Every structure is written in C-alpha cells, then in structure tokens.
Amino acid sequence: MLSKSESHTSWQESMISSTWLTYILEEWTGVECHYLYYIGFILCVLNIMFVPILIFISLSCFLNLLLHIYKRKNGLDEDFSNKSWDNGRFMVASILSMCGKLFHGYELHGIEKIPEGPGLIVYYHGASPVDYCFFICTLYIQTGRLCYSVVDRFFAKLPGIQLYLNLLPGVHSGRDESVEILKKGNLLGVAPGGGREAFFSDENYNLLWGNRKGFAQVAIDAKVPIIPLFTQNIREGYRTFGKIGFFRWFYERSRVLLIPGYGGFPVKLRTYVGDPIPYDPNITATELVEKTKIAIETLRDRHQKLPGSILRALLERFDKHQKED
C-alpha cells in the first residue's frame, strides 16, 4: 500500500499533468480553458442529438463503399437486374440483418402473410427507418424477394449512398412509377406519414398521415393488396425533439429532414406483418386509407404497450417469451 506521503506526491503529479494539459490546450486553441469545457459540452450534446441520422448515414456509406469495391472487382455495370449483383445484394442484406440481430435482437413475425406476387407494404415510420431496413433485408434473405422502397428525395440526394439505394432498391419518383413497379409483380414499401410522422409522432405511436391518400390510389390503380406493417419499440430506440415548437415550424416551412434526434438505444425490435387488405374494385382511395390505418393501429395496439417506455423496451431484450403473432 502507498504511504500518505506517496499518495500526496501522486496527487500532486496528476494535478501538475492536468494543469500542463490545460495550458497546452489554451495555447493551441487560443481559447481560455473554461470556454473549452463549454464547447466540449455543446459538442457532446450535438453528437447525442444527431446520433440516429449519423448511425444511418454512416452505415449506408460503409455499405456503399463495399458495393463499389464489389462492383470494381467484378467489372459490373449499372444494370442492377443483372444476376451478377445478387451476391453483393446478399452481402449487404446479411450485414444489415446481422446488425439488427446484434444491436436490437431483431425479429420478423408473420412473413408468411405476405402473398405471392405484387403488394404494397405500408408501415409506421419511426424516427429512424432502421426497422424497415432490417425488414427488407430479412425478407430477401429468407425468401429471395426484393422489396422496392419509396424514399424521400433528401436521401436520394445524399452523396455516397446512391449505389446502396439502387441495389436495395429505393425509388423516389411519383405515382406512375410506383404503379409500374407493382404491375411488374414486385413488392413496394411506403410510409404515408413520411418525415412528419418520423419527427413528430411520439411514444404513443400516433399515425400522422394528414390527407395523404396517394398510396391508396396506387394500390387501386395497380390492383394489388395492401400489407400493413408495424415494428414494436421503434420509437423507443430512436426519438426526436419534435415536441419543440421551433422544429415543427422549421420543418413545415423548409421540408428539410434535419430535425435533431437522440437514441440508438439497443431496445428489442419486432416487426409484425398484418393480414393483407385485398384489392377491391369498388372501394375508394379515402376508404382504403381508413382501412389501412385501422389495420396498422390494430397491430400497434396488439403488440405495443402504450405509451412506450425506453426502459421496458430495453428489458424486453432479456424476455425470451416470443410475442404472439
């Protein structure tokens, strides 16, 4: 054991080292030390606030880099329907699926409810779309079926992830292209709530669709069923500061998807596929929107305890009891 004199000497040395480090920082930055503490605190807060979008973009860029290496190594062109891209697509799906299982214990229930042939998958949009990414990757690994995804133009313009979006694949055009995709026998995923639902819904998982009914008209025009989808605890894993009035005002006037969030908590995520809503030639788009809302809210009420709790969602990682489908 150290004597009192040795302990005192050690404490003095640590204080001298700390003072020396403070002096170096002040000389290097030209800023007084107490201001550096404030700056460090602000940077930490900003880092926490933008964690969800940083995680998503960083992972997307990493996968995009792997795909560029794969493309160059195999001498591939931009024809993503080419079978030569299948291994690269499976690699991306496997990495994302592994991330989902490791970080969120991700599970997909009711995959057998997805009918053969085309269908419009409609899902609740959490603060981060990671659950939907896990869904389309798990679907591809288990069934070999690709699911096209309607993505916001904001993400389509982000540098460094174009190859990744094209391979999964993501589309950002209008109604006509969506109908054409479905008529070719594909699955197509869409979140009617979009950015507004992602940023301003909360732990009560309210659907914020406004008057949007374009997706319903797409399903009617393409004569395909709608498949409801809901992920348990997605709002507990990633949240936003959407309750602050300024951010709502900023979004409504700019439509810029830069509302700060926080999270990245390793909560349990389970995605549930609901019973398909079959095509009905006699139904209107407005009526189909209401039926879809009810279907998703039914999944929510059955599988999500409201209001959501981050602590409870974390504890569910240790709950071995599988939820009833």
Side-chain angles (χ1 to χ4, degrees):
M1 295 181 62
L2 293 175
S3 65
K4 289 185 177 180
S5 60
E6 289 175 328
S7 298
H8 183 69
T9 301
S10 177
W11 177 81
Q12 284 183 322
E13 289 176 349
S14 65
M15 288 298 295
I16 292 172
S17 298
S18 177
T19 304
W20 176 81
L21 179 60
T22 300
Y23 173 77
I24 292 296
L25 286 173
E26 289 180 353
E27 288 295 316
W28 182 51
T29 62
V31 179
E32 293 185 14
C33 186
H34 61 279
Y35 289 120
L36 290 176
Y37 293 146
Y38 295 143
I39 293 172
F41 174 75
I42 292 172
L43 290 176
C44 287
V45 171
L46 289 175
N47 182 59
I48 293 172
M49 288 169 62
F50 289 99
V51 158
I53 193 168
L54 287 176
I55 291 175
F56 179 73
I57 293 176
S58 299
L59 183 57
S60 298
C61 289
F62 171 70
L63 294 174
N64 202 69
L65 175 62
L66 290 181
L67 288 173
H68 273 290
I69 295 173
Y70 177 82
K71 176 184 176 182
R72 184 179 181 86
K73 181 179 179 181
N74 293 278
L76 301 178
D77 54 22
E78 299 294 324
D79 180 13
F80 298 103
S81 61
N82 191 319
K83 293 293 184 181
S84 299
W85 277 107
D86 286 352
N87 288 335
R89 187 178 287 113
F90 188 83
M91 173 187 68
V92 169
S94 298
I95 292 174
L96 284 173
S97 179
M98 180 182 65
C99 289
K101 290 179 180 178
L102 290 177
F103 199 68
H104 290 295
Y106 181 76
E107 298 175 8
L108 174 58
H109 297 275
I111 192 172
E112 70 281 353
K113 295 180 181 179
I114 300 177
E116 295 293 332
L120 184 65
I121 295 174
V122 180
Y123 62 97
Y124 171 82
H125 201 313
S128 171
V130 294
D131 60 317
Y132 178 72
C133 292
F134 298 152
F135 162 73
I136 59 176
C137 291
T138 304
L139 177 68
Y140 180 71
I141 291 172
Q142 293 188 12
T143 68
R145 299 186 68 182
L146 275 177
C147 180
Y148 286 73
S149 307
V150 177
V151 299
D152 193 278
R153 291 181 183 274
F154 172 81
F155 290 106
K157 294 178 181 178
L158 286 176
I161 65 172
Q162 295 303 310
L163 187 57
Y164 164 69
L165 285 178
N166 289 332
L167 193 65
L168 279 181
V171 296
H172 50 274
S173 296
R175 184 181 303 174
D176 292 339
E177 182 183 358
S178 297
V179 172
E180 189 64 26
I181 289 171
L182 291 168
K183 284 186 175 181
K184 290 180 179 178
N186 298 299
L187 293 171
L188 177 66
V190 61
R196 183 177 286 104
E197 187 169 87
F199 296 135
F200 306 115
S201 185
D202 55 23
E203 60 272 17
N204 290 307
Y205 291 80
N206 298 315
L207 302 184
L208 304 181
W209 292 4
N211 295 319
R212 293 184 177 180
K213 53 185 179 181
F215 75 93
Q217 192 61 54
V218 166
I220 292 172
D221 292 345
K223 300 180 180 180
V224 299
I226 285 180
I227 305 157
L229 201 73
F230 178 80
T231 299
Q232 178 192 47
N233 294 329
I234 185 58
R235 189 59 66 171
E236 275 54 72
Y238 306 86
R239 291 187 175 181
T240 71
F241 292 98
K243 290 184 178 180
I244 299 177
F246 168 77
F247 293 127
R248 184 64 177 260
W249 174 87
F250 175 77
Y251 173 79
E252 296 295 349
R253 282 157 181 76
S254 67
R255 290 296 191 273
V256 176
L257 304 182
L258 289 178
I259 308 302
Y262 62 98
F265 305 118
V267 301
K268 182 69 175 182
L269 294 183
R270 294 184 180 96
T271 295
Y272 293 93
V273 181
D275 295 323
I277 303 171
Y279 165 68
D280 182 355
N282 299 315
I283 199 172
T284 66
T286 301
E287 292 170 337
L288 186 53
V289 168
E290 290 305 313
K291 289 188 71 172
T292 307
K293 276 187 177 181
I294 292 172
I296 293 180
E297 288 172 345
T298 299
L299 287 173
R300 176 199 65 191
D301 295 342
R302 183 177 184 184
H303 300 292
Q304 181 68 54
K305 292 183 179 179
L306 300 175
S309 164
I310 295 175
L311 178 59
R312 183 173 61 236
L314 287 169
L315 292 176
E316 286 180 2
R317 287 295 301 271
F318 306 99
D319 182 8
K320 299 300 182 182
H321 176 67
Q322 179 174 308
K323 294 283 184 176
E324 180 186 359
D325 289 349

